[in-house]
Amino acid sequence: MALFSSLTPVFIAVLCILIAVMLKKTNGEKEKRETKSKPLSRPWVDEDLKDGTDRHLEEEEVDEEWQGLDENVAHVPFLVERYSEAEMIKRSQMFYELLNKRRSVRFLSDEPVPREVIDNVIRTAGTSPSGAHTEPWTFVVVQDPYLKRKIRAIVEEEEEINYKKRMGDRWVNDLKRLRTNWIKEYLDTAPYLILIFKQVYGWLPNGKKKTHYYNEISVSIACGILLAALQNVGLYTVTSTPLNCGPQIRALLQRPANEKLLLLLPVGYPKKDATVPALTRKPLEDIMVVM
C-alpha cells in the first residue's frame, strides 16, 4: 500500500502528460483543418479577374465542332533576313540598351502625342502570339478628357480603399520607398490612356461561346510587346493594375461582359521635372540559368 501511495503522484503526472499531448494533437489537427478551409488572403488578386478562365467552359456551352476558323489555312514560305553573328550581337546590345532605359514614370506631361504613333504601337502589340491564334485582346484608347476624369475618379476611390483596408501593412510598407499612393494625377494629364482587356471567350457565328485558350498569358505577352513598342518611340508609362475597378470601368467604356480589364497604361512624354526612384536591376547571373 505504501508503494502504491508513493507511485500515485507518478501515475498522476504521467496521466497529465498524456492528456496534454492528446489535447495538443487535437488542437493542432483542428488548426490545420481551419487553415485548410480558410481561404488564403491574396489582396493583390483582382476579384473581377477570377472569371473561371482556368476552368473549361460549361459542357453545354462548348462547341465541339471546329471553332469557326478556316481549317484549310494556306501555309506559305517563311522568308526572313538573317544577320551575321557580329550584327546579331550589335543589334541585341542596342535593343537591350534601349529597353534598359525603360522606367515606370508617374509624372507625365499633357503634351500632345501623334495619334498615328499610338495606332502603330498597338498594331505592334497585336503581333503577339496567342493560343490557337485567337488574339484575345482589346486595346481601348481613351483621349476624351471627360472619360479620363471619370476613370481617375473610379481608380482613386478604389485605390484609397486598397491602401487603407485591402492591401495590408506589408504591401503598403513595401510601396513606401517608391512614394506611391492612391492619388493618380497621371490619369488626367497623360494625353492617352490605353486600357488592355483580355477577352475571356469569343463568339462563334452560331452564337455559341468560342474558347480563347491561354487568354491571360496571351494578353500579358501582348502587353510586354506594347511596353517595348512605347519605349522604342520615346513614350513612357506606368503599368497600372486597377484593383477592383474592372466592372465600373468596363461599364463606363461600354465593353462587353466577356472582356476583363487587365492593365491600364497612361501614355505620354515625361514632365520636364519628372523623377523616378533610383532602382537597379538584377544582374544577368541572377536571372539566367544555363544548363
Side-chain angles (χ1 to χ4, degrees), residues 71-119:
E71 59 183 318
N72 295 315
V73 173
H75 282 221
V76 297
F78 181 60
L79 304 175
V80 65
E81 183 178 359
R82 181 163 176 168
Y83 305 110
S84 67
E85 287 189 14
E87 181 66 13
M88 289 170 66
I89 293 171
K90 178 183 175 183
R91 291 172 68 92
S92 64
Q93 180 66 26
M94 289 176 62
F95 193 67
Y96 160 68
E97 290 173 1
L98 172 67
L99 268 293
N100 194 38
K101 295 175 183 176
R102 188 208 59 77
R103 295 301 305 270
S104 295
V105 178
R106 293 173 172 83
F107 303 100
L108 296 172
S109 165
D110 60 1
E111 184 181 350
V113 170
R115 171 60 189 279
E116 188 176 357
V117 173
I118 300 300
D119 292 351

Coordinates of all heavy atoms in Angstrom, one line a residue, residues 71-119:
E71 N -10.0 25.7 -91.5 CA -9.1 24.6 -91.2 C -8.1 24.4 -92.4 O -7.2 23.6 -92.3 CB -9.8 23.3 -90.9 CG -10.7 22.8 -92.0 CD -11.5 21.6 -91.5 OE1 -10.8 20.7 -90.9 OE2 -12.7 21.5 -91.7
N72 N -8.4 25.0 -93.5 CA -7.5 24.9 -94.7 C -6.7 26.1 -94.9 O -6.5 26.6 -96.0 CB -8.4 24.6 -95.9 CG -9.1 23.3 -95.8 OD1 -8.5 22.3 -95.4 ND2 -10.4 23.3 -96.1
V73 N -6.1 26.7 -93.8 CA -5.3 27.8 -93.9 C -4.0 27.5 -94.7 O -3.4 26.5 -94.5 CB -4.8 28.3 -92.5 CG1 -3.8 29.5 -92.7 CG2 -6.1 28.8 -91.7
A74 N -3.8 28.3 -95.7 CA -2.6 28.0 -96.6 C -1.3 28.3 -95.8 O -1.3 29.2 -95.0 CB -2.7 28.9 -97.8
H75 N -0.3 27.4 -96.0 CA 1.0 27.7 -95.5 C 1.9 28.2 -96.6 O 1.9 27.6 -97.7 CB 1.5 26.4 -94.9 CG 0.9 26.1 -93.5 ND1 1.7 25.6 -92.5 CD2 -0.3 26.2 -93.1 CE1 0.9 25.4 -91.4 NE2 -0.4 25.8 -91.8
V76 N 2.6 29.2 -96.3 CA 3.4 29.9 -97.3 C 4.9 29.9 -96.9 O 5.2 29.7 -95.7 CB 3.0 31.4 -97.5 CG1 1.6 31.4 -98.1 CG2 3.1 32.1 -96.2
P77 N 5.8 30.0 -97.8 CA 7.2 30.0 -97.4 C 7.5 31.2 -96.5 O 7.0 32.2 -96.6 CB 8.0 30.2 -98.8 CG 7.0 29.8 -99.8 CD 5.6 30.1 -99.3
F78 N 8.4 30.9 -95.5 CA 8.7 31.9 -94.5 C 10.1 32.5 -94.9 O 11.1 31.8 -94.8 CB 8.8 31.2 -93.1 CG 9.2 32.2 -92.0 CD1 8.4 33.3 -91.7 CD2 10.3 32.0 -91.2 CE1 8.7 34.2 -90.8 CE2 10.6 32.9 -90.2 CZ 9.8 34.0 -90.0
L79 N 10.1 33.7 -95.3 CA 11.3 34.4 -95.7 C 11.7 35.4 -94.7 O 10.8 36.2 -94.3 CB 11.0 35.0 -97.1 CG 10.5 34.1 -98.2 CD1 10.2 34.9 -99.5 CD2 11.6 33.0 -98.5
V80 N 12.9 35.4 -94.3 CA 13.4 36.3 -93.3 C 14.8 36.7 -93.5 O 15.6 35.9 -94.1 CB 13.2 35.7 -91.9 CG1 14.1 34.5 -91.7 CG2 13.5 36.7 -90.8
E81 N 15.1 37.9 -93.1 CA 16.5 38.3 -93.2 C 17.3 37.7 -92.1 O 16.9 37.7 -91.0 CB 16.6 39.9 -93.2 CG 18.0 40.4 -93.4 CD 18.1 41.9 -93.3 OE1 17.0 42.6 -93.2 OE2 19.2 42.5 -93.4
R82 N 18.5 37.2 -92.5 CA 19.4 36.6 -91.5 C 20.6 37.5 -91.3 O 21.2 37.9 -92.3 CB 19.8 35.2 -91.9 CG 20.7 34.5 -90.8 CD 20.8 33.0 -91.0 NE 21.7 32.4 -90.1 CZ 21.8 31.1 -89.9 NH1 21.0 30.3 -90.6 NH2 22.7 30.7 -89.0
Y83 N 21.0 37.8 -90.0 CA 22.1 38.7 -89.8 C 23.3 37.9 -89.5 O 23.3 36.7 -89.0 CB 21.8 39.5 -88.5 CG 20.5 40.3 -88.7 CD1 19.4 40.0 -87.9 CD2 20.3 41.4 -89.6 CE1 18.2 40.7 -88.0 CE2 19.2 42.1 -89.7 CZ 18.1 41.7 -88.9 OH 16.9 42.4 -89.0
S84 N 24.5 38.5 -89.7 CA 25.8 37.9 -89.3 C 25.8 37.9 -87.8 O 25.1 38.6 -87.1 CB 26.9 38.7 -89.9 OG 27.0 40.0 -89.3
E85 N 26.7 37.1 -87.3 CA 26.9 37.0 -85.8 C 27.3 38.3 -85.2 O 26.7 38.7 -84.2 CB 28.0 35.9 -85.5 CG 27.5 34.5 -85.7 CD 28.5 33.5 -85.1 OE1 29.4 33.9 -84.3 OE2 28.4 32.3 -85.4
A86 N 28.1 39.1 -85.9 CA 28.5 40.4 -85.4 C 27.3 41.3 -85.4 O 27.1 42.1 -84.4 CB 29.6 40.9 -86.3
E87 N 26.5 41.3 -86.4 CA 25.3 42.1 -86.5 C 24.3 41.8 -85.4 O 23.7 42.6 -84.8 CB 24.7 42.1 -87.9 CG 23.5 43.0 -88.1 CD 23.8 44.5 -88.0 OE1 25.0 44.8 -88.1 OE2 22.8 45.2 -87.9
M88 N 24.1 40.4 -85.2 CA 23.2 40.0 -84.1 C 23.7 40.5 -82.8 O 22.8 41.0 -82.0 CB 23.2 38.4 -84.1 CG 22.5 37.8 -85.3 SD 22.7 36.0 -85.4 CE 21.9 35.5 -83.9
I89 N 24.9 40.4 -82.5 CA 25.4 40.9 -81.2 C 25.2 42.4 -81.1 O 24.8 42.9 -80.0 CB 26.9 40.5 -81.0 CG1 27.1 39.0 -80.9 CG2 27.5 41.2 -79.8 CD1 28.5 38.5 -81.0
K90 N 25.5 43.1 -82.1 CA 25.3 44.6 -82.1 C 23.9 44.9 -81.9 O 23.5 45.8 -81.1 CB 25.8 45.1 -83.4 CG 25.6 46.6 -83.6 CD 26.1 47.1 -84.9 CE 25.8 48.6 -85.1 NZ 26.2 49.1 -86.5
R91 N 23.0 44.3 -82.6 CA 21.5 44.6 -82.5 C 21.0 44.2 -81.2 O 20.2 44.9 -80.6 CB 20.7 43.9 -83.7 CG 21.0 44.5 -85.1 CD 20.4 43.6 -86.1 NE 18.9 43.7 -86.1 CZ 18.2 44.6 -86.8 NH1 18.8 45.4 -87.6 NH2 16.9 44.6 -86.7
S92 N 21.4 43.1 -80.6 CA 20.9 42.6 -79.3 C 21.4 43.6 -78.2 O 20.6 43.9 -77.3 CB 21.4 41.2 -79.0 OG 22.8 41.1 -78.9
Q93 N 22.6 44.1 -78.4 CA 23.1 45.0 -77.4 C 22.4 46.4 -77.5 O 22.0 47.0 -76.4 CB 24.6 45.3 -77.6 CG 25.3 46.2 -76.6 CD 25.3 45.8 -75.2 OE1 25.3 44.5 -74.9 NE2 25.3 46.7 -74.2
M94 N 22.2 46.8 -78.7 CA 21.4 48.1 -78.9 C 20.0 48.0 -78.3 O 19.5 49.0 -77.7 CB 21.4 48.5 -80.4 CG 22.8 48.9 -80.9 SD 22.7 49.3 -82.7 CE 21.6 50.6 -82.7
F95 N 19.4 46.9 -78.6 CA 18.0 46.7 -78.1 C 17.9 46.6 -76.6 O 17.0 47.2 -76.0 CB 17.3 45.5 -78.8 CG 15.9 45.4 -78.6 CD1 15.0 46.3 -79.2 CD2 15.3 44.4 -77.8 CE1 13.6 46.3 -79.1 CE2 13.9 44.4 -77.7 CZ 13.1 45.3 -78.3
Y96 N 18.9 45.9 -76.0 CA 19.0 45.9 -74.6 C 19.1 47.3 -74.0 O 18.5 47.7 -73.0 CB 20.1 45.0 -74.1 CG 20.5 45.3 -72.7 CD1 19.7 45.0 -71.6 CD2 21.7 45.9 -72.4 CE1 20.0 45.3 -70.3 CE2 22.1 46.2 -71.1 CZ 21.3 45.9 -70.1 OH 21.6 46.2 -68.8
E97 N 20.1 48.1 -74.6 CA 20.3 49.4 -74.0 C 19.1 50.3 -74.2 O 18.8 51.1 -73.3 CB 21.5 50.0 -74.8 CG 22.8 49.4 -74.4 CD 24.0 49.9 -75.3 OE1 23.8 50.7 -76.1 OE2 25.1 49.4 -75.1
L98 N 18.3 50.1 -75.2 CA 17.1 50.9 -75.4 C 16.1 50.5 -74.3 O 15.5 51.4 -73.7 CB 16.5 50.6 -76.8 CG 15.1 51.2 -77.0 CD1 15.1 52.7 -77.1 CD2 14.5 50.6 -78.4
L99 N 15.9 49.2 -74.1 CA 14.8 48.7 -73.2 C 15.3 49.0 -71.7 O 14.5 49.1 -70.8 CB 14.5 47.3 -73.4 CG 13.3 47.0 -74.4 CD1 12.0 47.4 -73.8 CD2 13.5 47.6 -75.7
N100 N 16.6 49.0 -71.5 CA 17.1 49.2 -70.2 C 16.8 50.6 -69.7 O 16.9 50.9 -68.5 CB 18.6 48.9 -70.1 CG 19.1 48.8 -68.7 OD1 18.4 48.3 -67.8 ND2 20.3 49.3 -68.4
K101 N 16.5 51.5 -70.6 CA 16.1 52.9 -70.2 C 14.7 53.0 -69.9 O 14.2 54.0 -69.4 CB 16.4 53.8 -71.4 CG 17.9 54.0 -71.8 CD 18.1 54.8 -73.0 CE 19.5 54.9 -73.4 NZ 19.7 55.7 -74.7
R102 N 13.9 51.9 -70.1 CA 12.5 52.0 -69.7 C 12.3 52.1 -68.2 O 12.9 51.4 -67.4 CB 11.8 50.7 -70.2 CG 10.3 50.7 -70.0 CD 9.7 49.3 -69.8 NE 10.3 48.7 -68.7 CZ 9.9 48.9 -67.4 NH1 9.0 49.9 -67.1 NH2 10.5 48.3 -66.4
R103 N 11.5 53.0 -67.8 CA 11.2 53.2 -66.4 C 9.7 53.5 -66.2 O 9.1 53.9 -67.2 CB 12.0 54.4 -65.8 CG 13.5 54.3 -65.8 CD 13.9 53.1 -65.0 NE 13.4 53.1 -63.6 CZ 14.0 53.7 -62.6 NH1 15.2 54.3 -62.8 NH2 13.5 53.6 -61.4
S104 N 9.2 53.1 -65.1 CA 7.8 53.5 -64.8 C 7.8 54.9 -64.4 O 8.4 55.3 -63.4 CB 7.3 52.6 -63.6 OG 7.2 51.2 -64.0
V105 N 7.1 55.7 -65.2 CA 7.0 57.2 -64.9 C 5.6 57.6 -64.5 O 4.7 57.4 -65.3 CB 7.5 57.9 -66.2 CG1 7.4 59.4 -66.0 CG2 8.9 57.5 -66.6
R106 N 5.6 58.2 -63.4 CA 4.3 58.7 -62.8 C 4.0 60.2 -63.0 O 3.0 60.7 -62.6 CB 4.2 58.3 -61.3 CG 4.2 56.8 -61.1 CD 4.3 56.4 -59.6 NE 4.0 55.0 -59.4 CZ 5.0 54.1 -59.6 NH1 6.2 54.4 -59.9 NH2 4.7 52.8 -59.4
F107 N 5.0 60.9 -63.6 CA 4.8 62.3 -63.8 C 4.9 62.5 -65.3 O 5.9 62.6 -66.0 CB 6.0 63.1 -63.1 CG 6.0 62.8 -61.7 CD1 7.0 61.9 -61.2 CD2 5.2 63.4 -60.8 CE1 7.0 61.6 -59.8 CE2 5.2 63.1 -59.4 CZ 6.2 62.2 -58.9
L108 N 3.7 62.5 -65.9 CA 3.5 62.6 -67.4 C 3.0 64.0 -67.8 O 2.1 64.5 -67.1 CB 2.6 61.5 -67.9 CG 3.1 60.1 -67.7 CD1 2.0 59.0 -68.0 CD2 4.4 59.8 -68.5
S109 N 3.5 64.4 -68.9 CA 3.1 65.7 -69.5 C 1.8 65.6 -70.2 O 1.5 64.5 -70.7 CB 4.3 66.2 -70.4 OG 3.8 67.3 -71.2
D110 N 1.1 66.7 -70.4 CA -0.1 66.7 -71.2 C 0.2 67.1 -72.7 O -0.7 67.3 -73.5 CB -1.1 67.7 -70.6 CG -0.6 69.1 -70.6 OD1 0.5 69.4 -71.0 OD2 -1.4 70.0 -70.1
E111 N 1.5 67.1 -73.0 CA 1.9 67.5 -74.4 C 1.3 66.5 -75.3 O 1.4 65.2 -75.1 CB 3.4 67.4 -74.5 CG 4.0 67.8 -75.8 CD 5.5 67.8 -75.8 OE1 6.1 67.6 -74.8 OE2 6.1 67.9 -76.9
P112 N 0.7 66.9 -76.5 CA 0.1 66.0 -77.4 C 1.1 65.0 -78.0 O 2.3 65.3 -78.2 CB -0.4 67.0 -78.5 CG -0.5 68.3 -77.8 CD 0.6 68.4 -76.8
V113 N 0.6 63.8 -78.3 CA 1.3 62.8 -78.9 C 0.6 62.4 -80.2 O -0.6 62.3 -80.3 CB 1.4 61.5 -78.0 CG1 1.9 60.3 -78.8 CG2 2.2 61.8 -76.8
P114 N 1.3 62.3 -81.3 CA 0.7 62.0 -82.6 C -0.2 60.7 -82.5 O 0.3 59.6 -82.0 CB 1.8 61.8 -83.6 CG 3.0 62.5 -83.0 CD 2.8 62.4 -81.5
R115 N -1.4 60.8 -82.9 CA -2.3 59.6 -82.9 C -1.8 58.4 -83.7 O -1.9 57.3 -83.3 CB -3.7 60.0 -83.4 CG -4.7 58.9 -83.5 CD -5.0 58.1 -82.3 NE -5.7 56.9 -82.6 CZ -7.0 56.9 -82.7 NH1 -7.7 58.1 -82.6 NH2 -7.7 55.8 -83.0
E116 N -1.1 58.7 -84.8 CA -0.6 57.6 -85.7 C 0.4 56.8 -84.9 O 0.5 55.6 -85.1 CB 0.0 58.2 -86.9 CG 0.4 57.2 -87.9 CD 1.0 57.8 -89.2 OE1 1.0 59.0 -89.4 OE2 1.4 57.0 -90.1
V117 N 1.2 57.4 -84.0 CA 2.2 56.7 -83.2 C 1.4 55.7 -82.3 O 1.8 54.5 -82.2 CB 3.0 57.6 -82.4 CG1 3.9 56.9 -81.4 CG2 3.8 58.5 -83.3
I118 N 0.3 56.1 -81.7 CA -0.4 55.2 -80.8 C -1.0 54.0 -81.6 O -1.0 52.9 -81.2 CB -1.6 56.0 -80.1 CG1 -1.0 57.1 -79.3 CG2 -2.4 55.0 -79.3 CD1 0.0 56.7 -78.2
D119 N -1.5 54.4 -82.8 CA -2.0 53.3 -83.7 C -1.0 52.3 -84.0 O -1.2 51.1 -84.0 CB -2.6 53.9 -85.0 CG -3.8 54.8 -84.8 OD1 -4.4 54.8 -83.7 OD2 -4.2 55.4 -85.8

